[in-house]
Amino acid sequence: MILIGIIIAASTVAMAATSYGLLIATFFKTPQQALSFGSISVVMLAAIGGIWVPVFVMPPALQTLSTISPLNWSLE
């Protein structure tokens, strides 16, 4: 039963990452543009979600913003 849950969670994460990559690929003309935007956006989303910087260290405005981040939901 636990194995099924792990497989479902891993598949969901893989599909989300692939979908984000395809979304970025549709907006940019060259691979260099997509690579730059993709790597920077992932770091920014990790910071806002509390993965890179703990939420309690952030200013109140960013703490409020982090509550709508799915990355923060996964940490909670």
Side-chain angles (χ1 to χ4, degrees), residues 29-54:
K29 295 180 182 176
T30 66
Q32 290 81 14
Q33 291 173 340
L35 180 65
S36 298
F37 179 81
S39 60
I40 291 170
S41 66
V42 167
V43 170
M44 287 175 51
L45 291 171
I48 291 171
I51 292 174
W52 191 28
V53 178

Side-chain angles (χ1 to χ4, degrees), residues 4-58:
I4 293 172
I6 292 172
I7 291 171
I8 291 172
S11 298
T12 303
V13 169
M15 286 188 283
T18 303
S19 298
Y20 188 65
L22 290 172
L23 177 72
I24 289 173
T26 60
F27 287 112
F28 296 100
K29 295 180 182 176
T30 66
Q32 290 81 14
Q33 291 173 340
L35 180 65
S36 298
F37 179 81
S39 60
I40 291 170
S41 66
V42 167
V43 170
M44 287 175 51
L45 291 171
I48 291 171
I51 292 174
W52 191 28
V53 178
V55 175
F56 65 85
V57 176
M58 296 180 185

